[in-house]
């Protein structure tokens, strides 16, 4: 059944939804202040709608592309498309309410998210919409590119970086658009735009490195480049075979090393951020520092990314990093990064 054709804005529901779909990103939203907290929350949920469609294994590639194009038309101020039309188009693909994941609940409530978003100032809408649309267009392009395989199969480093840009570099630019509204010097704005892509690329490349097992088994996607796997004598369809554990782990570690090449620019990005519109250092230094810790763990045990156990940093370290980031200023990020890269942060405090 369709939802209310004219939903009311519901910012409280949107904040609750972020908690359900991504505890990691929810940490960022929680430590932002208003109005930035709500602006980032809503921008993220719009991106999450597109991401859920792209990852939908039960939807044919042709239908995925149509849904993404319909979603894009709803986002486009120059189009006659509406979010209710997107909601109607996706209705037949929604899992039953009793079996609906948090991600699909967000898709089902896209008109509510949109009503809440369009209730924000025009400057916010102008900052967010073009980047969400660029993400949607990139996702549709990748789905079309790999329609015959039923899942993404990244070929080389260049394509991996292109995919990560659409998935997360666009988000870096979206954040930058929101941060540079108003009285921000041209020099600072330029520094942010020069490093925004790398901030997003870092976080997405870390995800690609650590989520190999889930990406393949749950979404039939392989982001480890075929070219790098071939260097180890294996192909993308055999990455989880136990007899390929060592060579596949070498590629996981290689991907993690590549993620590490974005650390310097990502740090520059955070250090250049203005603390305006409710922005806080903690909101972005937390995912950055958790990324540093995850890269450390990937180098320590890359083979775990190929198993159901996965690669995660401990809850104790997450709490310790959050506590440290909550009081750290921009000058403390470099030292925190150095410490976390060496050993788990909660252990370093002992």
């Amino acid at each position: 059944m369709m939802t209310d054709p004219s939903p009311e804005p519901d910012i409280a529901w949107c904040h609750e939804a972020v908690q359900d779909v991504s505890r990691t990103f929810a940490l960022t939203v929680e430590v932002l202040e208003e109005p930035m907290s709500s602006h980032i929350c809503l921008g993220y949920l719009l991106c999450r709608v597109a991401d859920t469609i792209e990852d939908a294994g039960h939807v044919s590639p042709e239908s995925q592309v149509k849904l993404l194009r319909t979603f894009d038309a709803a986002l486009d101020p120059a189009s006659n498309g509406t979010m209710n039309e997107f909601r109607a188009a996706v209705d037949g693909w929604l899992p039953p309410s009793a079996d609906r994941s948090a991600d699909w609940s967000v898709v089902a409530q896209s008109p509510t998210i949109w009503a809440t978003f369009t209730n924000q100032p025009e400057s916010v809408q102008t900052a967010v919409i073009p980047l969400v649309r660029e993400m949607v267009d990139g996702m549709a392009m990748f789905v079309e590119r790999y329609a015959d395989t039923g899942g993404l199969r990244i070929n080389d480093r260049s394509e991996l970086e292109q995919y990560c840009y659409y998935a997360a570099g666009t988000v870096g630019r979206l954040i930058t658009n929101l941060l540079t509204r108003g009285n921000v010097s041209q020099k600072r704005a330029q520094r942010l735009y020069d490093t925004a892509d790398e901030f997003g690329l870092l976080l997405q490349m870390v995800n690609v490195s650590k989520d190999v097992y889930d990406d393949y088994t749950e979404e039939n996607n392989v982001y480890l480049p075929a070219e790098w796997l071939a260097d180890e004598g294996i192909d993308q369809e055999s990455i989880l075979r136990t007899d390929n554990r060592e060579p596949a782990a070498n590629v996981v570690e290689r991907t993690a090393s590549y993620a590490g090449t974005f650390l310097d620019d990502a740090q520059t990005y955070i250090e250049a951020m203005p603390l305006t519109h409710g922005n806080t250092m903690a909101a972005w230094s937390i995912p950055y520092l958790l990324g540093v810790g995850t890269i450390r763990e990937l180098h320590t045990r890359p083979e775990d990314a190929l198993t159901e156990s996965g690669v995660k940093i401990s809850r104790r370290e997450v709490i310790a990093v959050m506590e440290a980031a909550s009081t750290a200023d921009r000058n403390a990020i470099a030292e925190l990064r150095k410490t976390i890269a060496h050993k788990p942060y909660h252990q370093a405090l002992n």
Side-chain angles (χ1 to χ4, degrees):
M1 293 292 293
M2 279 289 295
T3 53
D4 180 353
S6 302
E8 294 295 319
D10 191 344
I11 191 63
W13 182 90
C14 291
H15 277 276
E16 290 174 5
V18 168
Q19 295 284 340
D20 291 336
V21 296
S22 175
R23 183 58 196 155
T24 301
F25 199 86
L27 295 174
T28 292
V29 173
E30 285 176 357
V31 295
L32 287 167
E33 298 171 1
E34 292 294 350
M36 187 66 75
S37 178
S38 289
H39 298 163
I40 293 295
C41 168
L42 292 167
Y44 177 79
L45 288 177
L46 290 173
C47 294
R48 193 74 180 202
V49 171
D51 188 59
T52 302
I53 299 299
E54 184 208 19
D55 291 337
H58 69 291
V59 182
S60 69
E62 181 182 9
S63 295
Q64 284 176 299
V65 171
K66 287 181 179 178
L67 289 173
L68 288 168
R69 298 300 184 201
T70 304
F71 185 57
D72 179 67
L75 298 169
D76 183 1
S79 169
N80 292 325
T82 69
M83 199 58 69
N84 282 339
E85 290 174 351
F86 167 73
R87 178 61 178 79
V90 81
D91 196 57
W93 297 105
L94 289 173
S97 298
D99 302 324
R100 193 172 293 168
S101 66
D103 282 328
W104 282 102
S105 293
V106 166
V107 174
Q109 294 298 323
S110 51
T112 296
I113 298 167
W114 185 242
T116 311
F117 176 74
T118 55
N119 201 41
Q120 305 303 308
E122 184 177 352
S123 65
V124 173
Q125 298 180 49
T126 302
V128 170
I129 290 174
L131 276 305
V132 178
R133 293 190 63 209
E134 186 175 6
M135 172 188 285
V136 172
D137 183 66
M139 288 181 171
M141 179 184 70
F142 269 91
V143 171
E144 285 184 315
R145 184 180 296 177
Y146 290 101
D148 292 341
T149 59
L152 304 190
R153 295 291 186 274
I154 299 302
N155 184 56
D156 54 24
R157 191 185 79 172
S158 176
E159 189 177 37
L160 174 61
E161 189 168 327
Q162 182 188 39
Y163 174 81
C164 289
Y165 168 75
Y166 283 119
T170 52
V171 178
R173 294 190 186 189
L174 182 158
I175 296 165
T176 308
N177 283 351
L178 289 169
L179 289 175
T180 54
R181 293 171 297 145
N183 189 25
V184 176
S185 72
Q186 184 176 355
K187 182 178 180 180
R188 172 175 275 189
Q190 190 61 53
R191 188 179 307 141
L192 287 167
Y193 279 111
D194 285 345
T195 52
D197 291 1
E198 285 75 12
F199 177 71
L201 287 169
L202 166 68
L203 300 182
Q204 186 65 25
M205 206 74 68
V206 169
N207 288 339
V208 163
S209 304
K210 74 181 182 65
D211 294 336
V212 178
Y213 180 88
D214 287 346
D215 287 336
Y216 187 67
T217 59
E218 296 179 9
E219 300 167 3
N220 191 29
N221 292 329
V222 181
Y223 300 107
L224 298 183
E227 186 176 70
W228 292 357
L229 290 165
D231 289 344
E232 297 289 337
I234 58 177
D235 61 38
Q236 290 177 312
E237 304 309 321
S238 61
I239 55 172
L240 301 186
R241 279 175 34 183
T242 55
D243 57 337
N244 285 334
R245 188 60 46 82
E246 182 177 347
N250 290 340
V251 179
V252 169
E253 191 167 7
R254 183 174 179 178
T255 309
S257 294
Y258 186 46
T261 66
F262 299 105
L263 283 168
D264 288 347
D265 281 342
Q267 180 179 318
T268 296
Y269 182 77
I270 297 170
E271 291 172 342
M273 281 184 161
L275 302 182
T276 55
H277 305 293
N279 188 42
T280 66
M281 291 299 300
W284 309 109
S285 59
I286 288 172
Y288 173 78
L289 294 171
L290 293 179
V292 172
T294 305
I295 290 173
R296 180 199 68 229
E297 293 301 303
L298 282 161
H299 284 302
T300 302
R301 46 191 178 94
E303 64 281 352
D304 284 359
L306 305 165
T307 70
E308 192 172 1
S309 62
V311 175
K312 298 177 182 178
I313 62 177
S314 72
R315 184 63 185 162
R316 290 181 63 191
E317 182 172 13
V318 171
I319 293 171
V321 169
M322 288 177 59
E323 290 177 350
S326 67
T327 58
D329 61 20
R330 66 185 78 242
N331 297 317
I333 295 174
E335 190 60 34
L336 284 169
R337 169 186 166 183
K338 181 179 178 181
T339 301
I340 294 167
H342 179 65
K343 66 187 302 185
Y345 189 64
H346 62 290
Q347 296 179 10
L349 297 176
N350 296 330

